Amino acid sequence: MVVDGEKIKFPGGGTHFHYGADKYIVGLAQMLKFPGDKLNNGGHIRNVLDVGCGVASFGAYLLHHDIIAMSLAPNDVHENQIQFALERGIPSTLGVLGTKRLPYPSRSFELAHCSRCRIDWLQRDGILLLELDRLLGPGGYFAYSSPEAYEQDPENRKIWNAMYSLLKRMCWKVVAKRGQTVIWSKPLSNSCYLKRDPGTLPPLCNSSDDPDASWNVSMKACITPYSARMHKERWSGLLPWPQRLTAAPPRLEEIGVSSEEFHEDTKIWHFRVIEYWKQMKSVIQKNSIRNVMDMNSNLGGFATALKDKDLWVMNVASVKMSARLKIIYDRGLIGTVHDWCEAFSTYPRTYDLLHAWAVFSEIKERGCSSEDLLIEMDRILRPDGFVIIRDKHSVINYIQKFITALRWDGWLSEVEPRTDALSGGEELVLIARKKLWTDGFMTM
């Protein structure tokens, strides 16, 4: 892409940004004619999906613009670049663009981005572009920078023409094209779909298909139409960031939660987090916590309570509560669906703090191993990192047996918290700090 006469290069594939990153971001905003050449568009662009992200430098620069990116790299192509990104403190994750849906609900992102991401978007009847269509909100954008967007040789022209034809049949429109980059926009309503000729491919998805179902669900080569209940206006009727973080989103009614319950949840977690930090005050160092995981995110109250701290939260929704992940994204946060009876797809030692509220009780009810989960948490947690486990007395007492063996006894705190509307009976809060293993610990 060329910005202000300067060519921005992407060496080695993926999105590798250097000194020209801010110019590139400004260039995207200029192409979209956003006010002040700011890509966040007054807070309306908040959640971005960066596909084939390399070391996630694009996502790193977006943070300075009040935009948070889910930087996604396939683990079969990008080796350990996501590990490097997480060690830099950048929101990122491993993902496979294969046969299964990505673990995010529909309409999660305002912008998708692919810069030399080495993905064959035309494979299997364009099923990967149709997955992007599912994930983008009404009027959402797809910024695509790749040789086929600008090269004139026959092979690249063939790919471009096929891609253009497919996206036109999907009712996407080119809203800007400059140099190496083209930006498409998704339609705001079903109007275009209804005007297509009979038999046009790809077809519309069946009305029985749940576009928010994403755990172990196969991708479908069809377009997800808007339902009558969907908010079809651009940005899905959400307030701009940061107001959307604490405002009750329209999709609350889809999960049976009232705005009053939503606001009460926010207040409770605000108090809970204050209490957590009071307990850790004597041992927590400034800027020592950057990558945080909430292992049972519910409505995102825990992450919201941390909004004034220089960190980011990977909100994890259980499969049973996966419908609530859409609220996480509507608030301008990011997250994923996961079954804690299985390993989490990340590299070792990549998170500074793990928060587990009622997670052990939930997996115990399903007959899964608490010991296996403790070992998985230990794998994910970096040395000197913290775990906050809030659960039943019996669960905390059981976990205490393994603290020394795990070397989580660098610092310990156990308190009985105040009962609130979210309490599942009597609870205990255990906060533990993982030691840095030394040669002495490694000796058999």
Side-chain angles (χ1 to χ4, degrees):
M1 179 179 182
V2 178
V3 181
D4 294 335
E6 180 179 354
K7 189 174 182 180
I8 309 302
K9 298 180 180 179
F10 309 92
T15 313
H16 296 253
F17 288 81
H18 301 290
Y19 66 91
D22 276 327
K23 284 191 174 183
Y24 176 80
I25 291 168
V26 169
L28 292 178
Q30 289 174 342
M31 291 174 69
L32 290 167
K33 300 180 180 178
F34 286 163
D37 296 336
K38 294 182 178 180
L39 191 58
N40 67 10
N41 192 24
H44 288 294
I45 299 287
R46 168 63 182 174
N47 295 345
V48 170
L49 179 66
D50 186 20
V51 183
C53 64
V55 294
S57 293
F58 180 65
Y61 279 91
L62 287 179
L63 291 172
H64 301 296
H65 297 263
D66 273 341
I67 298 172
I68 189 164
M70 179 65 85
S71 297
L72 177 76
N75 54 9
D76 58 343
V77 174
H78 290 265
E79 299 176 349
N80 61 345
Q81 291 181 345
I82 288 298
Q83 182 179 20
F84 180 50
L86 287 167
E87 287 175 352
R88 295 169 68 196
I90 304 169
S92 49
T93 187
L94 288 167
V96 177
L97 279 165
T99 61
K100 302 294 184 181
R101 283 178 173 175
L102 293 174
Y104 319 122
S106 68
R107 301 161 57 207
S108 294
F109 302 97
E110 288 85 52
L111 171 71
H113 176 259
C114 162
S115 177
R116 294 183 179 264
C117 56
R118 298 184 291 183
I119 291 172
D120 179 6
W121 293 107
L122 297 174
Q123 64 177 284
R124 291 175 290 143
D125 301 318
I127 199 167
L128 301 184
L129 283 172
L130 290 160
E131 175 67 353
L132 279 191
D133 184 84
R134 182 183 72 87
L135 294 173
L136 284 173
Y141 300 105
F142 177 39
Y144 181 64
S145 183
S146 192
E148 52 264 26
Y150 64 92
E151 294 285 3
Q152 297 300 315
D153 61 278
E155 183 60 28
N156 280 310
R157 283 294 86 196
K158 180 180 177 182
I159 296 172
W160 167 257
N161 290 335
M163 193 169 180
Y164 182 87
S165 174
L166 172 61
L167 288 171
K168 184 177 180 180
R169 284 179 273 121
M170 289 170 57
C171 294
W172 289 23
K173 293 182 178 180
V174 174
V175 293
K177 187 176 181 182
R178 182 194 298 175
Q180 302 179 14
T181 302
V182 60
I183 301 178
W184 276 282
S185 177
K186 180 181 172 179
L188 289 167
S189 71
N190 291 332
S191 176
C192 173
Y193 304 144
L194 300 176
K195 295 177 182 177
R196 300 191 311 166
D197 294 334
T200 298
L201 296 177
L204 297 182
C205 295
N206 192 292
S207 59
S208 62
D209 178 64
D210 180 4
D212 295 327
S214 60
W215 180 255
N216 201 27
V217 175
S218 296
M219 290 184 187
K220 296 178 174 63
C222 58
I223 301 168
T224 303
Y226 298 111
S227 70
R229 297 179 64 187
M230 281 189 179
H231 292 260
K232 300 182 184 65
E233 63 266 32
R234 194 180 296 274
W235 323 129
S236 300
L238 300 171
L239 294 177
W241 178 265
Q243 292 94 316
R244 68 189 273 185
L245 180 64
T246 52
R251 290 200 284 185
L252 273 179
E253 63 177 287
E254 296 180 16
I255 61 170
V257 174
S258 68
S259 59
E260 292 77 17
E261 291 171 317
F262 173 83
H263 290 302
E264 179 65 14
D265 181 270
T266 301
K267 290 178 183 178
I268 289 171
W269 280 110
H270 177 75
F271 175 81
R272 286 184 172 189
V273 168
I274 288 174
E275 293 301 304
Y276 291 161
W277 251 252
K278 282 182 180 178
Q279 291 176 58
M280 297 188 294
K281 185 177 180 181
S282 63
V283 292
I284 198 168
Q285 297 176 335
K286 186 178 180 181
N287 299 325
S288 63
I289 294 178
R290 174 64 183 170
N291 302 349
V292 177
M293 180 183 291
D294 188 5
M295 298 170 64
N296 178 20
S297 57
N298 193 31
L299 299 173
F302 174 78
T304 300
L306 294 169
K307 66 182 186 321
D308 294 325
K309 301 187 182 298
D310 188 18
L311 52 79
W312 67 276
V313 180
M314 176 66 79
N315 293 279
V316 182
S318 67
V319 178
K320 184 174 68 174
M321 302 296 286
S322 61
R324 298 195 168 204
L325 190 59
K326 68 181 78 171
I327 305 304
I328 301 292
Y329 279 93
D330 286 353
R331 298 184 84 160
L333 305 169
I334 61 171
T336 187
V337 179
H338 184 64
D339 181 354
W340 284 113
C341 292
E342 302 178 11
F344 189 86
S345 184
T346 192
Y347 288 93
R349 302 176 299 279
T350 45
Y351 283 85
D352 307 310
L353 186 149
L354 305 178
H355 177 247
W357 169 49
V359 175
F360 285 88
S361 290
E362 195 269 335
I363 68 161
K364 183 180 179 182
E365 290 175 0
R366 297 169 52 210
C368 299
S369 168
S370 296
E371 293 93 327
D372 287 350
L373 180 54
L374 285 168
I375 292 170
E376 176 64 359
M377 291 172 68
D378 184 72
R379 183 186 72 86
I380 295 171
L381 187 67
R382 71 165 176 83
D384 292 326
F386 292 87
V387 294
I388 303 175
I389 303 175
R390 189 186 193 105
D391 220 310
K392 299 175 183 176
H393 282 232
S394 59
V395 170
I396 299 299
N397 292 336
Y398 183 77
I399 291 173
Q400 283 277 22
K401 300 176 183 179
F402 302 94
I403 292 295
T404 302
L406 290 166
R407 312 299 182 191
W408 286 6
D409 51 357
W411 178 84
L412 282 172
S413 171
E414 183 182 306
V415 298
E416 186 166 348
R418 185 183 72 175
T419 301
D420 54 44
L422 296 178
S423 300
E426 294 185 352
E427 293 179 327
L428 285 176
V429 174
L430 172 67
I431 305 180
R433 189 174 196 177
K434 179 179 176 179
K435 285 181 177 177
L436 173 65
W437 284 51
T438 64
D439 290 341
F441 289 140
M442 300 296 287
T443 302
M444 298 298 290

